[in-house]
Amino acid sequence: MGVIVGLEGGGTKTGCAVLDAQGALLAYGQGGPANLNFVSEAQQRESFETAIESALKGISEPVLALGYTVAGTFANWEWVLKRLGNPQAFAVEETRMAFVSTGADVAHGLAIVAGTGSVISAFVSDRLARTVGGWGALIGDEGSAYDLARHGLQLAVRSWDGRESPSQLVNAVQAFFGISDLRELIPLLYQRGMPRHELARFATHVLETAESGDALAQQLVVERATVLARDALACARGVFEPQEPLWVALTGGMFRQPSLFQKTFEEVFSREFPRAHYHTPLMEPAVAVARIAWRRYCADSA
Amino acid sequence: MGVIVGLEGGGTKTGCAVLDAQGALLAYGQGGPANLNFVSEAQQRESFETAIESALKGISEPVLALGYTVAGTFANWEWVLKRLGNPQAFAVEETRMAFVSTGADVAHGLAIVAGTGSVISAFVSDRLARTVGGWGALIGDEGSAYDLARHGLQLAVRSWDGRESPSQLVNAVQAFFGISDLRELIPLLYQRGMPRHELARFATHVLETAESGDALAQQLVVERATVLARDALACARGVFEPQEPLWVALTGGMFRQPSLFQKTFEEVFSREFPRAHYHTPLMEPAVAVARIAWRRYCADSA
């Protein structure tokens, strides 16, 4: 019968999903980071191989179609296609995948991806209408995990040297990095260097510090969520009417569980789009990519 | 008679000054960047060698003393000392050097270094009382050239994708990087990579765009100068009385010429310290380092 493969390479991990010819999930595998803006081609390929090998283990049926998405940038798909027996291939935009992952069959509304990086798109009847963000860790990715982690570190050192009031963020940094003197961050971050997706993991601790009641962490979480919500508004404005019911897909690690971040985002966004409905993922991104590929394959074969 | 050497390694350049035994300037040489957080040891050594060779060319007298400062971090001084015949060596804090470069004989007041990076210190009767900032490009260096350049780029791409109003910053980015589509920034910044001191050069263009009347650039310059001024206030508070006349040394590339940035800094700082007097450098940083070393050498020899 044959299978459909969905491959999704993100800033932190790669997922690979296998569907049967009826669109049901058969297997899922996972690998490391794959964003070529921040990892090497060798690392990307290794992440892809790990995910594909583990997903396709024990599956001998031919691959009928591949859906693929990679965060931030291009990838060398040639060997992936060869590895899979050169199936029909469908490139899927990251935000379309994010949208479908929340359970919508037709992409119509707004997709916010806030994972290691961030990007926002508006879709109208399955057509990509507009994208903002996605400029990477140095000059963008507002409201992403890396963005929150970096700002959290910045606030912690400002608290440490007396430019801000005392904050539990200092303790969070000490625990996360295993250091007592925050000056140890300097060689750690600059000389040894820390990969973007590893630093991004500190975002969870900023969220936790905020939930525990720390004023500085709370202000920061509210600020970064507000920036993201305003960017989402800028993307939605002019594409949708303020009064229409709007599907808003909230995806990526920053929306993995309800938090002050998500609450703030929804509050700010709802001021202009009071009938927005917020949806978080029901499936792994790679499964959504596979489903999009499956639908396109079926349409092409019909 | 012998000479005194001052060596200063910054985020963008290295300076080397040679004084005679009476403290008069004999020669000056320059090399590349030397901050080990951002360049390799080989690059630092090359920058030092270039600066020293060009300053000491034709000078055959023995080196009596060396004063040395390096931004951000340590350096391997052993070969420098050997190269100079193992003179008496004096380590000089970056902010003390900055202070003296504005013509004060005794360090008493506040020194703000806003070059490629940024750091602020308070001195009381030649004693270093307090330092804030200096955490590097990733989590600090507020109000530095790199900080302004990065925020300027961020605003330009936000204007480009419609999240901010139109701005001449877009044209400034296009001209600086020689690109028409701002999406070309992504491979340029992430895949090819751009050294910190090269990116920091864009700060000048942000300042110029602000001077030319661009609203977005003006807001940004005011914002970053205000952040720096508030950090300076946090450093000065508790060390100095609000009503005392206060020497404030404004050094580094961000204060190379009067601009909206300097005007804003002075306005914000003066609200709490109305009797502050602002001073910009009268000499190269390396000359100030050499002068401090010369004074210490004379005191030791007396």
Side-chain angles (χ1 to χ4, degrees):
Chain A
M1 283 294 291
V3 296
I4 313 288
V5 171
L7 187 68
E8 179 263 343
T12 295
K13 65 177 176 66
T14 293
C16 181
V18 184
L19 309 186
D20 66 19
Q22 281 71 46
L25 185 63
L26 284 180
Y28 179 79
Q30 204 161 291
N35 186 333
L36 277 194
N37 285 327
F38 303 101
V39 301
S40 67
E41 281 201 43
Q43 163 81 77
Q44 184 189 64
R45 186 166 164 156
E46 192 194 310
S47 301
F48 283 178
E49 272 174 345
T50 307
I52 290 171
E53 299 250 319
S54 105
L56 282 177
K57 193 157 50 184
I59 294 176
S60 55
E61 290 181 70
V63 177
L64 304 172
L66 166 74
Y68 62 94
T69 299
V70 71
T73 179
F74 67 96
N76 185 349
W77 297 106
E78 254 175 62
W79 78 265
V80 174
L81 283 169
K82 202 176 163 195
R83 162 80 178 80
L84 299 175
N86 290 308
Q88 206 172 339
F90 302 97
V92 177
E93 302 95 334
E94 193 183 3
T95 44
R96 185 189 301 274
M97 164 198 77
F99 200 92
V100 170
S101 76
T102 62
D105 274 340
V106 172
H108 182 95
L110 208 65
I112 291 96
V113 183
T116 312
S118 69
V119 62
I120 301 166
S121 295
F123 289 89
V124 176
S125 309
D126 247 2
R127 182 183 57 79
L128 177 64
R130 188 188 213 170
T131 292
V132 303
W135 293 91
L138 188 66
I139 57 168
D141 285 1
E142 293 89 343
S144 68
Y146 184 86
D147 175 72
L148 186 65
R150 199 174 64 78
H151 280 93
L153 280 171
Q154 188 167 16
L155 261 187
V157 303
R158 292 178 62 86
S159 173
W160 173 269
D161 73 12
R163 285 176 292 167
E164 297 281 352
S165 50
S167 166
Q168 291 298 318
L169 282 170
V170 170
N171 309 53
V173 168
Q174 287 167 326
F176 185 77
F177 291 92
I179 56 176
S180 53
D181 184 335
L182 259 56
R183 287 267 162 197
E184 293 174 52
L185 278 174
I186 294 177
L188 222 149
L189 295 175
Y190 302 113
Q191 284 153 36
R192 222 184 66 189
M194 178 171 254
R196 190 179 74 129
H197 61 281
E198 281 182 25
L199 200 145
R201 290 202 187 102
F202 183 62
T204 312
H205 303 278
V206 178
L207 290 178
E208 284 169 8
T209 308
E211 305 294 339
S212 80
D214 184 80
L216 225 57
Q218 284 179 349
Q219 278 168 32
L220 177 62
V221 168
V222 166
E223 180 205 298
R224 302 323 293 165
T226 301
V227 168
L228 186 66
R230 288 194 181 143
D231 285 0
L233 286 171
C235 186
R237 218 170 272 146
V239 179
F240 305 108
E241 291 301 317
Q243 289 305 324
E244 70 178 282
L246 190 62
W247 186 296
V248 178
L250 302 179
T251 73
M254 291 303 295
F255 296 113
R256 193 150 298 142
Q257 51 197 31
S259 69
L260 177 61
F261 187 86
Q262 182 171 343
K263 187 168 157 277
T264 306
F265 180 94
E266 295 184 7
E267 270 174 19
V268 174
F269 192 83
S270 295
R271 280 178 214 153
E272 247 180 270
F273 288 89
R275 297 182 66 201
H277 289 273
Y278 302 92
H279 302 265
T280 51
L282 306 172
M283 64 193 82
E284 288 288 345
V287 178
V289 179
R291 287 179 69 140
I292 294 167
W294 174 71
R295 253 182 251 125
R296 289 194 186 164
Y297 175 78
C298 292
D300 281 10
S301 314
Chain B
M1 283 295 289
V3 296
I4 314 288
V5 172
L7 188 66
E8 180 262 343
T12 296
K13 65 176 177 67
T14 292
C16 182
V18 184
L19 310 186
D20 66 20
Q22 281 71 47
L25 185 62
L26 283 180
Y28 179 80
Q30 203 160 293
N35 186 333
L36 277 194
N37 286 327
F38 304 100
V39 302
S40 66
E41 280 202 44
Q43 163 82 76
Q44 184 190 63
R45 186 168 165 154
E46 192 194 311
S47 301
F48 283 177
E49 273 176 343
T50 308
I52 292 172
E53 299 251 320
S54 105
L56 281 177
K57 195 159 47 185
I59 294 176
S60 53
E61 290 181 71
V63 177
L64 303 172
L66 166 73
Y68 61 95
T69 299
V70 70
T73 180
F74 66 95
N76 185 349
W77 297 107
E78 256 176 61
W79 78 264
V80 175
L81 283 168
K82 202 175 162 196
R83 162 81 178 79
L84 299 175
N86 291 308
Q88 207 173 338
F90 302 98
V92 177
E93 302 94 333
E94 194 183 2
T95 45
R96 185 187 302 274
M97 163 198 80
F99 200 92
V100 170
S101 76
T102 61
D105 273 339
V106 172
H108 183 95
L110 209 64
I112 290 95
V113 183
T116 312
S118 70
V119 62
I120 300 166
S121 295
F123 289 88
V124 176
S125 308
D126 246 1
R127 182 183 57 80
L128 177 63
R130 187 188 215 170
T131 292
V132 304
W135 293 92
L138 189 65
I139 57 168
D141 285 1
E142 293 90 343
S144 67
Y146 184 86
D147 176 73
L148 186 66
R150 199 174 64 76
H151 280 93
L153 278 171
Q154 188 167 17
L155 261 188
V157 302
R158 293 178 61 86
S159 172
W160 173 268
D161 72 13
R163 286 176 292 167
E164 298 282 353
S165 50
S167 166
Q168 291 299 319
L169 282 169
V170 170
N171 309 53
V173 168
Q174 288 168 326
F176 185 75
F177 291 92
I179 57 177
S180 53
D181 184 336
L182 259 56
R183 288 266 161 196
E184 292 173 53
L185 278 174
I186 294 178
L188 222 149
L189 294 175
Y190 301 114
Q191 285 153 34
R192 223 184 65 190
M194 178 170 252
R196 190 179 76 129
H197 61 280
E198 281 183 24
L199 199 143
R201 289 203 188 105
F202 183 61
T204 311
H205 302 278
V206 178
L207 290 178
E208 283 170 7
T209 308
E211 305 295 337
S212 79
D214 184 79
L216 226 56
Q218 284 178 349
Q219 277 168 34
L220 178 63
V221 168
V222 167
E223 179 205 298
R224 303 321 294 165
T226 301
V227 168
L228 186 67
R230 289 194 178 141
D231 286 359
L233 286 171
C235 186
R237 217 172 271 144
V239 179
F240 306 107
E241 291 301 319
Q243 289 306 323
E244 70 179 282
L246 190 63
W247 186 295
V248 178
L250 302 179
T251 72
M254 292 302 295
F255 295 114
R256 192 149 299 142
Q257 51 197 31
S259 68
L260 178 61
F261 186 87
Q262 179 169 346
K263 186 167 158 275
T264 305
F265 181 94
E266 295 184 8
E267 269 175 17
V268 173
F269 192 84
S270 294
R271 282 178 213 152
E272 247 180 89
F273 288 88
R275 297 181 66 200
H277 289 273
Y278 303 93
H279 301 266
T280 51
L282 305 172
M283 62 193 83
E284 287 289 343
V287 179
V289 180
R291 288 179 70 139
I292 294 167
W294 174 71
R295 255 183 250 125
R296 290 193 186 163
Y297 175 79
C298 292
D300 281 9
S301 314

